[in-house]
Amino acid sequence: MSASLDEVLQAIRTGIPLFLERFQECLRIPSISTAPENQPDMLRMSQWLQAEMRRIGLEHVQAYPTPGQPMVYGDWIHAPGRPTVLVYGHYDVQPADPLDEWVSPPFGAEIRDDYIFARGASDMKGQILAQLAAVEAWLAQGTCPVNLKYLIEGEEEIGSPYLDDFIRDHTDLLECDIVLNCDAMIHSAENPSITYALRGLAYFELEICTAEKDMHSGMFGGAVRNPIHVLTEVLSGMHDASGRITLPGFYDHVPTAEDDERALLAKAPYNDAAFLKTAGAFALYGEEGFTTLERLGVRPSLDVNGIWGGFQGEGAKTVLPARAGAKLSMRLIPGQPLDMVEKQLRAYLEAKVPAGCQWNLTCHSIGPGSVMHWKSPYMQAAADALKKVFGKEPFLRREGASVPVVRLLQERLGVDSVMLGFGQPDDGIHGPNEKQSLPVLYKGMESYACFLYNVGRLKPMSVHD
Amino acid sequence: MSASLDEVLQAIRTGIPLFLERFQECLRIPSISTAPENQPDMLRMSQWLQAEMRRIGLEHVQAYPTPGQPMVYGDWIHAPGRPTVLVYGHYDVQPADPLDEWVSPPFGAEIRDDYIFARGASDMKGQILAQLAAVEAWLAQGTCPVNLKYLIEGEEEIGSPYLDDFIRDHTDLLECDIVLNCDAMIHSAENPSITYALRGLAYFELEICTAEKDMHSGMFGGAVRNPIHVLTEVLSGMHDASGRITLPGFYDHVPTAEDDERALLAKAPYNDAAFLKTAGAFALYGEEGFTTLERLGVRPSLDVNGIWGGFQGEGAKTVLPARAGAKLSMRLIPGQPLDMVEKQLRAYLEAKVPAGCQWNLTCHSIGPGSVMHWKSPYMQAAADALKKVFGKEPFLRREGASVPVVRLLQERLGVDSVMLGFGQPDDGIHGPNEKQSLPVLYKGMESYACFLYNVGRLKPMSVHD
């Protein structure tokens, strides 16, 4: 049996009403992995997903148990001699709070104008369902241009605690030529993009303690150390006036971006006003000597993600606290050696925290960035697919965020990922009123179908072969 | 009828078992002024106090309503030609949390060794009851050396919102020659002390906002302002390396301590180790060129009392927050002009907060310090009383904390206060396991009796006459 790409694209368009029904059904399951009260919903979601995968014709669909949420697997491997694509996604979502900032219920999946609003709409149920819709259209024609395997996890939003073990224990099951990672974004419908690099992440918690117990600021203020003062001094000293991170040796092993890559990044249709609007921020800020896209892509960053100490309630309390703390994280550049980062932070703290103050530093997690072969035929297959559907050559971008699974799959399976998803930067993922543009998602379905078609015309090969 | 001081002191000693019973009964009423659920207890406490005042022979005892908790008043004005002493106290206490850090229940009034443990034991039910016990012993002998008036408020722990109005509207009722403020401490049983000056307090809340909404630190970190970074930079810059406050002009109008006053302060039986132990702090810190007692007494201070921003929960969340805030307060020196303090802080913020960041500063309260005529006969009467009972000349101290009522009574009634109370610095007021030394409190009763005796031998006169 054979099917033409045009027939498949037509089938996708015809199937949109049914797709929308299923998408809403899926979004109405509050699959919040972190919340104990949503555990039944997590189960319901994994079962819903398996049923959907079976319905469109995938085989060997099952939920592999882990100590946490199960991994949903399925495959279709009836394209001998063709490449095998491992599709990665996750079926869990972030908590929906702050609830009072949602215009429509977070699990109501309300459609307004061209958008569907729901927690998980963009990150990433929309992407999973769009990819399945593309495959459904292929299989409905009786075939698929490539072999497919699915790894849909249920704990991405809580840091994928069992994913590495699972991949390590199932390398045969997951063996493939390329990963299609749907947990991704494009820049916009007018300017599609493909991400080829991701920053790593190191996350720390710092506590400063200057006394056994809280004190009265009148009785002791001005004569003993205030841990909030020490903390603000230490944290504010982590950047110099030019926005550079001051930890000793921090930049020594950050790879320098070559001219051709800086030129590539400069091709992006970027402007300050649009970037600030997307961020919701009032002003740009960062390391001198680099553009905003370079600051996000080829330069590491250090942010305080949270800070606390003393009295935070209504009104006034004249407490001089005994302790204060902060969460801080660094975005690391692929190639930056992980084992030095904590040492550099500790060396800074040793030098900076005054005598007579206790401090404690905990590392919550540390993971490297990753960079893909952006000239590989799989990347080209994705670029061609976007060009065909969106009518414009996508630009290539490095992403500031971290997607640890990309690195895990590089390390365990030796394969690159193509990041192909159809969320947009202003979708408000993880925040209130998360949304997904429906017209863009429909183009996404077609793009996925084209991508599979393009890959099917390649000789099977890992990019590392 | 007449009574000798020795008979009165003997009566105080004999009455201790009964006093202890009443003290425990009083401590078991959880009169937390700030907690709505404790409003019935507040009423019970004011009624208990009125009954006790009537029992010992005070007259015109009544609760004057205010928009908040009532003011309990009573008097005994049968000593014509003698000075009138206005006794100030408060019947409310701080909340008891953190409850799990209490060894015995905060409203159990358990006695262990020489201490009684309860919220309010030291601050200040112990002081009120000790003063009433002294007066009971005098009145039981049929007389009192002075005229007495009582003003016991119920909202000191929440900032006395209606006290100023009440004093202003009742200047005739409260007319007196001197205030005996029992909401006070001594240094120790071995080294009694009298406080003659108090610092003022200005309390502010600062918020920095750099974006409309929280952002993802991967997508935007390193390219936009982080409000926690701005806040830590701003706060840490408020002190220079020598511990001086950097707000423009801040020290211009801080009165310089004269040599004789610095010599007076230096007489205190102070040592670093004991001070740190009392504070529970690990290290001294403060403005260069001044001793610890000078830093607390004659120099202003600035403390961040609370700070918050971003993610404070368990684990890791890579949020780049939109806003961060802090509570900060200054302890002001008597004579430091209040109207400049907020201006100085605003001038600093104008200069320091980078462009593109919104900031908002709220003043919660601002009140001046106060200083008493430490060579006045009333102060001498208190010093003589302490010397007789404790066997040692008390030293004179300036207190770092603020007692706004002292200044209100100076302004409205034109009278000084003698700060005479028997809490000690390590009583843990406002914290868990608040305690009061019973032997010290018994000496306090005798000291109060002697103080009244000594004042009774003075010609009535306000120190301002």
Side-chain angles (χ1 to χ4, degrees), chain B residues 218-337:
Chain B
M219 286 168 66
F220 301 105
V224 298
R225 290 267 182 207
N226 179 327
I228 302 180
H229 294 191
V230 176
L231 184 66
T232 60
E233 182 81 22
V234 164
L235 294 176
S236 67
M238 289 184 182
H239 290 90
D240 69 14
S242 69
R244 277 174 70 88
I245 295 163
T246 60
L247 309 190
F250 188 74
Y251 290 100
D252 289 355
H253 303 278
V254 172
T256 308
E258 302 298 331
D259 285 348
D260 66 334
E261 192 161 16
R262 295 184 78 170
L264 185 76
L265 292 173
K267 283 187 187 168
Y270 165 84
N271 74 65
D272 286 352
F275 175 79
L276 284 175
K277 187 156 182 280
T278 301
F282 303 149
L284 295 174
Y285 171 77
E287 191 186 2
E288 274 178 18
F290 295 91
T291 66
T292 294
L293 289 184
E294 287 170 351
R295 288 168 178 172
L296 294 171
V298 297
R299 302 300 292 171
S301 65
L302 184 159
D303 267 294
V304 182
N305 304 100
I307 192 166
W308 60 90
F311 177 66
Q312 305 185 18
E314 287 279 312
K317 183 177 176 185
T318 51
V319 65
L320 200 166
R323 55 190 68 237
K327 312 254 184 190
L328 61 101
S329 66
M330 300 170 208
R331 298 290 175 170
L332 307 170
I333 296 305
Q336 204 177 342

Side-chain angles (χ1 to χ4, degrees), chain A residues 163-351:
Chain A
L163 182 63
D164 190 24
D165 287 354
F166 183 80
I167 296 170
R168 186 196 59 213
D169 296 345
H170 296 84
T171 51
D172 288 350
L173 182 74
L174 302 174
E175 191 182 17
C176 62
D177 295 285
I178 186 72
V179 177
L180 169 61
N181 187 322
C182 301
D183 193 10
M185 295 191 304
I186 60 167
H187 183 74
S188 69
E190 296 69 37
N191 292 293
S193 63
I194 300 179
T195 295
Y196 69 94
L198 299 152
R199 288 194 289 189
L201 174 66
Y203 203 105
F204 299 96
E205 186 158 338
L206 173 65
E207 191 179 66
I208 305 273
C209 177
T210 61
E212 290 156 14
K213 59 185 188 210
D214 289 358
M215 295 162 281
H216 188 297
S217 77
M219 287 168 67
F220 301 105
V224 299
R225 290 265 181 209
N226 180 327
I228 301 180
H229 295 192
V230 176
L231 184 66
T232 60
E233 182 83 21
V234 164
L235 294 176
S236 67
M238 288 184 182
H239 289 90
D240 68 16
S242 69
R244 278 174 69 87
I245 296 163
T246 60
L247 309 190
F250 187 74
Y251 290 100
D252 289 356
H253 303 277
V254 173
T256 309
E258 302 298 332
D259 286 347
D260 66 334
E261 193 160 14
R262 295 183 77 169
L264 185 75
L265 292 174
K267 284 187 187 167
Y270 166 84
N271 75 66
D272 286 354
F275 176 79
L276 285 175
K277 185 154 183 280
T278 301
F282 303 149
L284 296 174
Y285 171 77
E287 191 184 2
E288 275 178 17
F290 295 91
T291 67
T292 294
L293 289 184
E294 288 170 349
R295 287 167 178 171
L296 293 171
V298 297
R299 301 302 290 171
S301 65
L302 183 158
D303 267 293
V304 182
N305 304 100
I307 192 167
W308 61 89
F311 177 65
Q312 305 185 19
E314 285 280 311
K317 183 178 177 184
T318 51
V319 65
L320 200 166
R323 57 190 66 238
K327 312 253 184 191
L328 60 102
S329 65
M330 299 170 209
R331 298 289 174 171
L332 307 171
I333 297 305
Q336 206 178 341
L338 290 192
D339 58 344
M340 307 193 64
V341 169
E342 184 169 344
K343 281 181 202 151
Q344 290 159 345
L345 180 54
R346 287 188 179 274
Y348 171 85
L349 293 169
E350 295 282 0

Side-chain angles (χ1 to χ4, degrees), chain A residues 138-156:
Chain A
W138 274 110
L139 295 181
Q141 312 297 318
T143 188
C144 187
V146 297
N147 298 295
L148 289 167
K149 295 181 177 181
Y150 283 81
L151 172 61
I152 318 283
E153 66 160 319
E155 294 185 315
E156 195 273 348

Side-chain angles (χ1 to χ4, degrees), chain B residues 31-363:
Chain B
S31 52
I32 303 168
S33 46
T34 190
E37 65 272 25
N38 291 107
Q39 292 313 297
D41 302 307
M42 287 301 299
L43 181 64
R44 196 148 60 94
M45 184 65 220
S46 77
Q47 289 168 343
W48 187 95
L49 185 61
Q50 292 170 66
E52 182 69 4
M53 289 166 72
R54 287 191 193 98
R55 189 185 65 78
I56 69 168
L58 295 174
E59 298 168 347
H60 307 117
V61 175
Q62 60 179 294
Y64 283 81
T66 76
Q69 303 296 339
M71 305 280 174
V72 174
Y73 175 87
D75 62 30
W76 186 92
I77 42 181
H78 302 293
R82 300 288 183 84
T84 299
V85 175
L86 174 66
V87 180
Y88 167 84
H90 62 87
Y91 60 87
D92 63 326
V93 301
Q94 284 268 326
D97 53 284
L99 291 175
D100 58 356
E101 293 186 25
W102 285 80
V103 172
S104 57
F107 297 102
E110 186 172 299
I111 296 171
R112 298 197 296 276
D113 302 324
D114 280 345
Y115 292 93
I116 189 163
F117 289 81
R119 168 61 78 237
S122 170
D123 180 19
M124 65 167 290
K125 290 177 177 175
Q127 320 310 322
I128 296 178
L129 266 64
Q131 203 282 334
L132 290 175
V135 170
E136 179 179 9
W138 274 111
L139 295 181
Q141 312 294 319
T143 188
C144 185
V146 297
N147 298 294
L148 288 167
K149 294 180 176 181
Y150 283 82
L151 172 61
I152 317 284
E153 66 160 315
E155 295 186 313
E156 195 272 347
E157 299 294 2
I158 54 174
S160 306
Y162 306 108
L163 182 63
D164 190 24
D165 287 353
F166 183 81
I167 295 171
R168 186 196 58 211
D169 296 343
H170 296 84
T171 51
D172 288 351
L173 182 75
L174 301 175
E175 189 182 21
C176 62
D177 296 286
I178 186 74
V179 177
L180 169 61
N181 188 321
C182 301
D183 194 9
M185 294 191 303
I186 59 167
H187 184 74
S188 68
E190 297 70 37
N191 291 293
S193 63
I194 298 179
T195 296
Y196 69 94
L198 298 152
R199 287 195 287 190
L201 174 67
Y203 202 105
F204 299 95
E205 187 157 337
L206 173 65
E207 191 180 66
I208 305 272
C209 178
T210 60
E212 290 156 14
K213 58 183 190 217
D214 289 358
M215 294 162 281
H216 188 295
S217 77
M219 286 168 66
F220 301 105
V224 298
R225 290 267 182 207
N226 179 327
I228 302 180
H229 294 191
V230 176
L231 184 66
T232 60
E233 182 81 22
V234 164
L235 294 176
S236 67
M238 289 184 182
H239 290 90
D240 69 14
S242 69
R244 277 174 70 88
I245 295 163
T246 60
L247 309 190
F250 188 74
Y251 290 100
D252 289 355
H253 303 278
V254 172
T256 308
E258 302 298 331
D259 285 348
D260 66 334
E261 192 161 16
R262 295 184 78 170
L264 185 76
L265 292 173
K267 283 187 187 168
Y270 165 84
N271 74 65
D272 286 352
F275 175 79
L276 284 175
K277 187 156 182 280
T278 301
F282 303 149
L284 295 174
Y285 171 77
E287 191 186 2
E288 274 178 18
F290 295 91
T291 66
T292 294
L293 289 184
E294 287 170 351
R295 288 168 178 172
L296 294 171
V298 297
R299 302 300 292 171
S301 65
L302 184 159
D303 267 294
V304 182
N305 304 100
I307 192 166
W308 60 90
F311 177 66
Q312 305 185 18
E314 287 279 312
K317 183 177 176 185
T318 51
V319 65
L320 200 166
R323 55 190 68 237
K327 312 254 184 190
L328 61 101
S329 66
M330 300 170 208
R331 298 290 175 170
L332 307 170
I333 296 305
Q336 204 177 342
L338 289 192
D339 58 345
M340 307 194 63
V341 169
E342 184 169 341
K343 281 182 203 151
Q344 290 160 345
L345 180 54
R346 286 187 181 274
Y348 171 85
L349 292 169
E350 294 283 0
K352 188 91 177 180
V353 178
C357 302
Q358 298 174 355
W359 58 273
N360 185 49
L361 182 74
T362 314
C363 180

